[in-house]
Amino acid sequence: MTANTDSEQRMAADHSSGSKKNLASGAGLAAARDDLTWQPAWRICEMIESREVTPSEVTDHFLERIAKLEPTLHAFDTLDASGAREQAAVATKAVEDGAPLGPLHGIPVAIMDVHSVKGFRNGLRGIECARYDEIAAERLRNAGAIIFGTTATYNWPVAEGPRNPWDIGRDPGNSSRGSAVAVAAGMVPLAIGQDGAGSTRLPAAWSGCLGLSTTRGLVPHVDYETKSQKITANTGPMARNARDCAMMLQVIAGRDGRDFLSTQVDTPDYAAHLEDGVDGMRIAWTDDFGWSKIYWLPDSAEIVDHVKRATFGLTRSGAQVEQVDEIWEAPWPTMETLINSNPVTSTPDSGFQPEIGQQKFEEFWGKPQTQAPEPISGNWPKEVDAVEIYRFASESRARMVETLEDVLRRYKVLVSATVPMEPRPFVEWGYFGRGFTLTTYAAHTTMMNLLGYPAISVPCGLHNGLPVGLQIIGRQGQEDGLLRVANAVQKLHPMPLPPAAV
């Protein structure tokens, strides 16, 4: 099977040599339509604009894909096929009428079900019919995207949890799992995820796509029902290539006065420097942030070594890669303390109860036989009052920021393995990942949510036939730099197609 990245490079070359005319003719057009599944979103946009294919044809194609794969992969919570076709018909007429087209005109997208999408039920939050679009969904609509539905996080029957398209016996990762599966398996070109402790990056790593955790406040959020703010969580794009990720981020990012935490600076052109490469760029590598080895599993060293080789392989593209030995603190105790001490919660109250979910899961599937590592408290103080523990947590966070800033003053980005364990069997992982979630699984991702810095996971090959994610961390507001490095990684490590998606 031709690798996805090779296909994209071929299409880019065809486009630059004037292939639009060829594609618009008989056999070329038929071939393009047959290959819609793995066309990047940016290319589908061009095809729609040049009338090589209509939004309705694009929508029908991906709805057929979903009908074929959804009974196996269970990516969606709610699919609105009729609504998607109605949106597509309007989008098709706009093209025919010569109306101005938005940057995502006619592109199918899916949105993680923790978000409010007008007219959709939100089973996770107990909402029968959402009354409004959250800002990201609103901006996607205004950009011309076709919203297909919401993807599954935890609101699924115990027999039908989302499955990994590389091995349907394995879990695709927590939270933004449905969005990751939908994108990686070619059910939609783009999706929205939410990252609270790695929940966009982690399922992206396990499912074999890109997931971007954005700078705090870059993608605005307002919730009129629970009146919460996203202090540690953020909304971000999930895609199969860096250019698509940049295109979606361009639409959903930027200031909005409805959000107290919204950025007040102008957003850059996220695609402007994608092809600049990494020649001369200083890149730092960390094995375990100085602490995570306490949670490593038997397969962790091989996973980390795989990503390390991919990172140092960027020297072939001219980068200067060096290992750093800075030691950060385990972030979860600090994050938990600061969230619980804050009067405004990080995310809307979803009614999510992992213990009850796991109990129901085990009633159907049986009890897992594996044990997860025990969480550690480290040097956290014992028997102190709430004021003292809040002070300790705040100072811990400050030390993490200073250590990260010291590294990012010397290097453009910091790179690590996204998750130091391979995707686990569905039955072993259970409803929420059990004790793995707050130990090994999210060991390398949680700190970025605590600090509000951006990070992206990009596939860097396969280990035992399963995707491996490479995490790139940068300074606040420098998502364009992360996407530039991610693009360079993808050129060196083109991914084959997931077996369950072929």
Side-chain angles (χ1 to χ4, degrees):
M1 184 63 65
T2 303
N4 189 23
T5 302
D6 290 345
S7 176
E8 289 167 12
Q9 291 171 347
R10 183 189 70 246
M11 288 185 287
D14 288 346
H15 172 59
S16 65
S17 63
S19 66
K20 284 187 179 181
K21 185 181 297 184
N22 295 331
L23 284 170
S25 65
L29 178 56
R33 287 176 175 168
D34 289 343
D35 198 34
L36 272 177
T37 300
W38 305 112
Q39 295 272 7
W42 63 262
R43 178 64 186 123
I44 297 175
C45 282
E46 291 183 339
M47 293 171 67
I48 288 172
E49 186 177 4
S50 62
R51 305 195 183 193
E52 299 163 35
V53 67
T54 70
S56 290
E57 289 170 332
V58 172
T59 291
D60 286 341
H61 173 85
F62 283 101
L63 287 175
E64 288 174 8
R65 286 280 301 172
I66 293 170
K68 173 186 174 184
L69 297 178
E70 179 64 12
T72 300
L73 296 179
H74 309 301
F76 282 83
D77 178 68
T78 300
L79 177 67
D80 183 19
S82 62
R85 289 191 172 98
E86 290 173 5
Q87 295 171 70
V90 173
T92 296
K93 188 174 188 307
V95 175
E96 293 170 348
D97 292 346
L101 306 183
L104 293 177
H105 192 89
I107 300 299
V109 300
I111 299 175
M112 178 186 178
D113 71 359
V114 74
H115 298 86
S116 290
V117 182
K118 187 175 181 179
F120 282 70
R121 77 179 180 93
N122 191 317
L124 187 65
R125 297 176 60 193
I127 299 171
E128 289 302 318
C129 183
R131 296 167 59 185
Y132 68 96
D133 282 332
E134 288 192 17
I135 295 173
E138 175 185 282
R139 289 181 171 182
L140 288 172
R141 286 194 200 276
N142 292 340
I146 310 297
I147 297 179
F148 270 34
T150 56
T151 55
T153 54
Y154 298 103
N155 185 50
W156 37 268
V158 290
E160 299 176 6
R163 305 303 178 87
N164 197 306
W166 296 87
D167 178 350
I168 61 172
R170 295 179 183 262
D171 200 275
N174 277 352
S175 294
S176 301
R177 53 186 11 139
S179 288
V181 172
V183 168
M187 300 166 87
V188 290
L190 299 172
I192 285 287
Q194 179 169 284
D195 199 306
S199 296
T200 297
R201 289 161 287 161
L202 293 165
W206 273 13
S207 300
C209 65
L210 282 77
L212 176 60
S213 176
T214 50
T215 299
R216 180 179 293 114
L218 179 65
V219 178
H221 162 82
V222 63
D223 189 289
Y224 301 116
E225 293 180 329
T226 59
K227 303 177 181 63
S228 63
Q229 292 181 342
K230 289 188 176 178
I231 297 171
T232 56
N234 62 76
T235 299
M238 305 186 80
R240 290 192 301 274
N241 64 84
R243 185 168 295 280
D244 282 0
C245 203
M247 184 169 67
M248 190 176 208
L249 183 63
Q250 202 74 54
V251 167
I252 63 176
R255 67 168 61 87
D256 192 299
R258 290 171 287 182
D259 182 0
F260 275 90
L261 299 178
S262 174
T263 181
Q264 298 303 308
V265 299
D266 292 336
T267 54
D269 181 344
Y270 292 110
H273 299 288
L274 275 179
E275 300 299 335
D276 286 1
V278 294
D279 188 23
M281 184 183 292
R282 287 175 56 79
I283 294 174
W285 163 263
T286 178
D287 286 337
D288 73 334
F289 295 89
W291 71 271
S292 79
K293 285 183 182 177
I294 56 172
Y295 288 143
W296 281 18
L297 302 173
D299 60 329
S300 295
E302 290 185 6
I303 297 291
V304 171
D305 187 59
H306 179 108
V307 183
K308 185 174 185 177
R309 290 196 306 271
T311 303
F312 278 83
L314 289 169
T315 57
R316 302 199 305 271
S317 300
Q320 302 174 39
V321 184
E322 299 175 3
Q323 181 154 344
V324 294
D325 298 318
E326 272 75 6
I327 299 174
W328 285 267
E329 298 170 36
W332 187 254
T334 299
M335 183 157 155
E336 186 176 35
T337 298
L338 294 179
I339 289 175
N340 292 338
S341 301
N342 200 295
V344 185
T345 57
S346 168
T347 55
D349 180 13
S350 65
F352 170 52
Q353 297 177 300
E355 297 83 5
I356 294 177
Q358 181 64 24
Q359 179 183 343
K360 292 179 179 178
F361 187 93
E362 291 179 9
E363 288 173 358
F364 184 87
W365 290 100
K367 213 170 184 60
Q369 301 302 308
T370 56
Q371 295 295 320
E374 290 291 329
I376 62 163
S377 58
N379 62 342
W380 274 68
K382 308 290 192 297
E383 299 179 1
V384 296
D385 62 21
V387 172
E388 184 66 14
I389 196 70
Y390 185 75
R391 180 192 67 80
F392 187 89
S394 297
E395 291 177 352
S396 171
R397 182 180 182 276
R399 290 191 294 271
M400 293 182 213
V401 169
E402 287 307 311
T403 303
L404 182 59
E405 278 294 325
D406 183 60
V407 171
L408 294 178
R409 276 191 288 268
R410 293 178 283 134
Y411 301 92
K412 178 67 174 177
V413 294
L414 172 65
V415 178
S416 74
T418 306
V419 51
M421 59 187 294
E422 67 181 23
R424 278 341 197 221
F426 180 72
V427 175
E428 177 186 327
W429 191 248
Y431 180 71
F432 183 62
R434 303 182 294 126
F436 293 107
T437 300
L438 302 184
T439 55
T440 315
Y441 178 66
H444 289 184
T445 55
T446 301
M447 186 172 71
M448 297 308 103
N449 300 86
L450 174 63
L451 306 187
Y453 282 63
I456 189 170
S457 181
V458 56
C460 65
L462 302 177
H463 176 264
N464 292 332
L466 300 167
V468 178
L470 180 152
Q471 178 177 232
I472 308 162
I473 298 162
R475 270 193 157 144
Q476 291 181 333
Q478 294 190 1
E479 279 80 356
D480 53 342
L482 304 190
L483 289 163
R484 175 181 163 188
V485 179
N487 192 47
V489 171
Q490 287 197 288
K491 287 184 175 182
L492 291 176
H493 301 280
M495 292 287 286
L497 302 181
V502 177

